[in-house]
Amino acid sequence: MTDPFTNGFRRGAPGLVPRRRFLQLAAGAIAAAGLPALPARAELRAYSLAASPSRVKLLGAPGSPETDVWAYGGSVPGPVVRARQGERLRIALGNGLEQETTLHCHGIRLPNVMDGVPELTQAPVAKGERFTYEFDLPDAGTYWYHPHTYTTEQVGRGLKGALIVEEASPPKVDREFVWIADDWRIGDDGALSNDFNHPHDISHGGRIGNLITLNGAEVETLPVKAGERLRLRLINAANGRVFGLRFEGVEVSVIALDGHPVTPHAPADGRVVLGPGQRADLIVDIAGKPGERLAVVDDYYERFKYTFVTFAVAPGKPLRESPLDSPIALAANALAEPDAAAAVSDIVIEGGAMGGLTEAVYKGEKMGLRKLWRAHRKVWSLNGVASSGFMEDPMFRLQRGRSYRWRLKNDTVWDHPMHLHGHAFRILARNGQPAPHTPWSDTVMLHADETVDIAFVADNPGKWLFHCHVLEHHLGGMGTVIEVA
Ligand SMILES: [Cu+2]
């Protein structure tokens, strides 16, 4: 093969080739109406991401074996893709896997053909092939990328990375960290468990791993200085695990959720809860004294409380005696405000283990749960329909430019982070009460028996997925398509 890309990654070239140049946008090139128009000249950021098998060190103990993973650019997580708000991003994806893949840039409001959903928005990228994604970045914030083909296995084996869109004027901090929280089902020999799509994971809480990593490694401590101000960009990139992080002995303010600015506030009940797919931007002021150790504890699953990471405050002179008092609030992204009084549509989530689902429609045929499960491995439904993949009859056909209000009802005993592609929505209410801070989101968590109202302006044309981001739940039927036209 003479394809320079293929040659490149056969030699093990890194998958990250950032470069900057100016692009003269042709008239009509930014026809993604509904999204804010950019100036005629937008700066282009170009990256290459090669998905291929790799070997990395996930297990932290000295002398422990390496692990065979699938990775972008050879690393887990993949390289951080960074650009500025208003720029244009190009990502050339190369497929060095033995199966089809795509790239989905989670949370970015982009044109439908760039969304990376196989069959629905593009033909999957075959083994050895490449596909170039290119789109404008209307919103600043913390996003991430991952495949949308065979997601349970491809994401579960390590294909994921952060996508950061910087604000024009970010808040002043001493240091910024991207934290990708993840888990793995792994043996002492370093091998990932091959039991992807296990029936138990599909019908219960998804694939939950036995090894927690921070940016692809077992990290025990992070050295900090007393008085230091950090910005943390948290991303939950796990298949099924929910993280609930308590920061001991530091001052924490949530400044953005799912990329979008929110009125700075302390985490509810002192804990930052992130379901798969969700992100949070935090400002952390290290209030501890020199030499102190400040634990970040994950106690989401009460019986499995553990220390996620520990801030080790350097001995000696503090960086500053009292926290910075410079502002931390972020400027809002330009999102169309939905009409909260729009008519309400219900979306009822049913199924799973210990659920009440008795029957559902699958590929147009109504069938009992027994057949649904035994013949098709489906066990979840949205409004009585179990999804068969990505090519569904749209559950809703939405008029472009109109506001919609959805009432999501979780009639199951499991957590479901529900993700809408192509749009951001406002979370208006939870269990009938106004939602604190009414944040913009692309992935909203519904705990067991919860009801959540969301609203958005359907301003991005195309067929878009709406699905649970517990990847095994989506596989098991919890997804649908909406069409905006
Ligand atoms: Cu789910």
Side-chain angles (χ1 to χ4, degrees):
M1 267 202 184
T2 53
D3 181 336
F5 173 81
T6 308
N7 286 340
F9 84 81
R10 272 205 189 128
R11 287 198 309 273
L16 174 65
V17 189
R19 56 186 191 275
R20 302 176 63 152
R21 66 186 174 93
F22 286 92
L23 173 76
Q24 181 70 55
L25 289 176
I30 40 173
L35 305 181
L38 290 171
R41 263 174 190 275
E43 195 165 347
L44 181 77
R45 297 271 179 159
Y47 286 84
S48 292
L49 290 176
S52 63
S54 183
R55 253 177 104 70
V56 299
K57 194 137 167 38
L58 292 177
L59 295 171
S64 52
E66 293 191 318
T67 299
D68 286 311
V69 296
W70 296 351
Y72 292 112
S75 69
V76 167
V80 176
V81 170
R82 251 180 207 276
R84 284 233 177 103
Q85 185 173 19
E87 287 182 335
R88 194 167 172 83
L89 180 63
R90 175 187 295 163
I91 302 177
L93 171 72
N95 184 4
L97 305 171
E98 290 297 316
Q99 56 181 225
E100 297 173 338
T101 195
T102 61
L103 191 82
H104 171 60
C105 291
H106 181 123
I108 304 281
R109 298 188 298 139
L110 39 64
N112 191 256
V113 293
M114 294 290 128
D115 199 39
V117 179
E119 314 302 342
L120 190 69
T121 71
Q122 70 169 106
V125 183
K127 170 188 171 184
E129 297 291 314
R130 46 197 278 174
F131 186 92
T132 299
Y133 298 86
E134 188 172 324
F135 44 86
D136 300 325
L137 297 166
D139 304 319
T142 300
Y143 304 91
W144 66 299
Y145 60 85
H146 63 78
H148 229 295
T149 44
Y150 309 103
T151 48
T152 52
E153 181 167 9
Q154 291 194 1
V155 174
R157 286 194 185 279
L159 291 168
K160 60 198 76 182
L163 198 174
I164 306 301
V165 186
E166 294 171 351
E167 302 88 8
S169 45
K172 183 176 181 296
V173 298
D174 296 303
R175 286 188 290 168
E176 176 185 309
F177 294 95
V178 176
W179 277 12
I180 296 192
D182 205 352
D183 71 346
W184 310 79
R185 197 174 284 175
I186 192 169
D188 291 337
D189 59 357
L192 295 183
S193 173
N194 279 319
D195 59 349
F196 291 96
N197 309 332
H198 192 283
H200 183 276
D201 298 337
I202 294 172
S203 58
H204 291 66
R207 181 180 173 92
I208 304 289
N210 58 331
L211 172 72
I212 309 284
T213 57
L214 167 52
N215 296 338
E218 282 193 271
V219 180
E220 287 189 3
T221 55
L222 181 70
V224 295
K225 290 180 183 136
E228 193 174 16
R229 172 168 286 183
L230 312 176
R231 177 180 186 166
L232 302 182
R233 297 175 178 269
L234 263 59
I235 300 169
N236 180 349
N239 282 32
R241 176 180 293 272
V242 180
F243 290 87
L245 302 182
R246 284 185 196 283
F247 293 75
E248 297 178 349
V250 298
E251 294 289 320
V252 176
S253 298
V254 180
I255 58 166
L257 291 168
D258 283 2
H260 296 285
V262 65
T263 305
H265 62 274
D269 306 319
R271 189 164 74 165
V272 179
V273 174
L274 289 182
Q278 295 188 298
R279 291 89 63 213
D281 284 46
L282 310 178
I283 295 290
V284 174
D285 285 313
I286 304 294
K289 295 182 176 60
E292 266 193 314
R293 294 173 67 83
L294 310 167
V296 181
V297 172
D298 180 358
D299 62 358
Y300 187 75
Y301 304 98
E302 277 174 48
R303 289 171 50 219
F304 300 100
K305 183 175 165 177
Y306 67 98
T307 299
F308 180 75
V309 71
T310 300
F311 291 117
V313 186
K317 194 173 174 300
L319 190 65
R320 60 180 66 84
E321 294 298 338
S322 55
L324 278 176
D325 62 358
S326 55
I328 56 172
L330 300 168
N333 289 318
L335 291 152
E337 192 64 49
D339 177 3
V344 174
S345 299
D346 288 333
I347 300 182
V348 180
I349 302 167
E350 290 178 284
M354 296 166 271
L357 187 69
T358 55
E359 60 179 23
V361 173
Y362 178 76
K363 290 188 173 175
E365 182 196 344
K366 189 177 253 190
M367 61 186 74
L369 181 61
R370 196 181 173 86
K371 181 178 177 187
L372 192 70
W373 177 245
R374 289 203 171 163
H376 307 294
R377 278 287 180 260
K378 303 296 172 187
V379 69
W380 304 97
S381 70
L382 296 179
N383 284 352
V385 179
S387 95
S388 59
F390 305 112
M391 292 295 285
E392 301 284 326
D393 282 338
M395 173 181 287
F396 299 126
R397 290 191 164 80
L398 309 183
Q399 239 179 64
R400 188 168 160 189
R402 273 189 60 178
S403 288
Y404 292 87
R405 181 170 183 149
W406 291 355
R407 184 157 296 154
L408 312 174
K409 294 183 179 175
N410 181 1
D411 257 353
T412 82
V413 303
W414 302 96
D415 288 338
H416 304 296
M418 301 301 296
H419 173 45
L420 177 62
H421 286 219
H423 297 78
F425 49 77
R426 243 200 217 289
I427 302 175
L428 295 178
R430 200 171 271 275
N431 301 320
Q433 301 299 317
H437 315 291
T438 58
W440 290 102
S441 277
D442 54 64
T443 308
V444 61
M445 175 63 99
L446 281 97
H447 303 291
D449 294 322
E450 276 193 325
T451 297
V452 171
D453 281 29
I454 64 171
F456 62 102
V457 177
D459 55 7
N460 201 355
K463 289 181 177 174
W464 302 100
L465 275 190
F466 176 66
H467 66 94
C468 181
H469 222 287
V470 172
L471 302 176
E472 288 73 20
H473 289 178
H474 188 198
L475 181 73
M478 203 185 300
T480 190
V481 168
I482 62 154
E483 182 169 17
V484 177

